[in-house]
Amino acid sequence: MSARIRLALVGMGKIAHDQHLPAIAGNDDIELVATVSRHGEPVGGLPFFPNVEALAASGVAVDAVALCTPPQVRRAIAQFAIEQGWHVFLEKPPGATLAEVTALRDAATTRGVSLFASWHSRYADGVEPARSWLSGREVKRATITWREDVRVWHPGQDWIWEPGGFGVFDPGINALSIATRILPRPFFVETAELDVPSNRAAPIAARVAFRDTAGSAIAMDLDFRQEGPQHWDIEVETDAGTLLLAKGGSVLTIDGKEAVAHDAELHGEYPGLYRRFAEIVRAGESDVDVAPLRLVADAFLRGRHIAVEPFVE
């Protein structure tokens, strides 16, 4: 494919407006041709449809779709898109379950279209330098601290508290997408404690203990109740010093000396995602890494659920 990729954006919530629309507008390889949402209104005078079935019936020429819906409803939409021969960009998490994502990957392969399970935090400025620095070094331990105020970052998003909405693991999976990228060895869940509000179905906080294949411990602390300063940090102690990847992966320091600084707002990684999507579409490939989702699933499998006070927004 040499012409611009004609893309429809599906699910016009906060993330679509804040991140996807600007990233698409700044990408010369992609042309936004339509938007799809059960709610909202047209964008920039483009065709607007209530669902993907109406989009397919409309005759609007589409090469690809980016799905920004909640994960619980994404599989059926993605499956329909694949059947139309459209390439599919999946917002994170790529699905509500591992089985959904692997089935979509197989369907895309059979249909000959590209499927992209996007992990935006991997495109933060410090991630690849951190991966390079850790390569070949001995990891002694690591600590993941992801604490944010749900009222600030996810206002009114009731889906996040429903089964398949992940709760605090919605941002926590961003941390795991970075950790699985930068740490040199696979790691696995040993124990987990999940704090679940008595009026919700998904955790508001969690503590997870991992261990890698060499026996090094990795501790993760997630909390949606953080007030004041927010924390999105990964610290890795090695035989050659301590690496700190802070502010969601945008600032890298080694032994206290800043190696990479980035002054953009958190979650400014979407231009990189769309560059990658255009790349795999043109190459006729897919990019579907389920490692972060698998670790979240394992935390739920091995986790002890602890009832805590109700959460009222």
Side-chain angles (χ1 to χ4, degrees), residues 112-133:
V113 298
S114 296
L115 182 67
F116 182 33
S118 70
W119 300 108
H120 67 77
S121 290
R122 287 183 174 177
Y123 290 78
D125 281 7
V127 173
E128 288 308 308
R131 172 183 167 86
S132 177
W133 190 85

Side-chain angles (χ1 to χ4, degrees), residues 55-102:
L55 170 64
S58 71
V60 172
V62 173
D63 302 308
V65 292
L67 305 188
C68 306
T69 64
Q72 295 98 322
V73 301
R74 200 174 294 150
R75 187 211 61 81
I77 299 171
Q79 180 66 41
F80 179 85
I82 289 168
E83 291 169 357
Q84 310 313 301
W86 299 338
H87 308 287
V88 178
F89 176 126
L90 299 171
E91 176 58 85
K92 70 86 193 171
T97 69
L98 280 164
E100 289 183 355
V101 181
T102 54

Side-chain angles (χ1 to χ4, degrees), residues 9-13 16-17 35-43 48-51 69-70:
L9 191 55
V10 182
M12 298 304 297
H17 284 276
T35 57
V36 178
S37 185
R38 291 182 301 168
H39 311 287
E41 56 189 20
V43 172
F48 175 77
F49 302 95
N51 52 56
T69 64

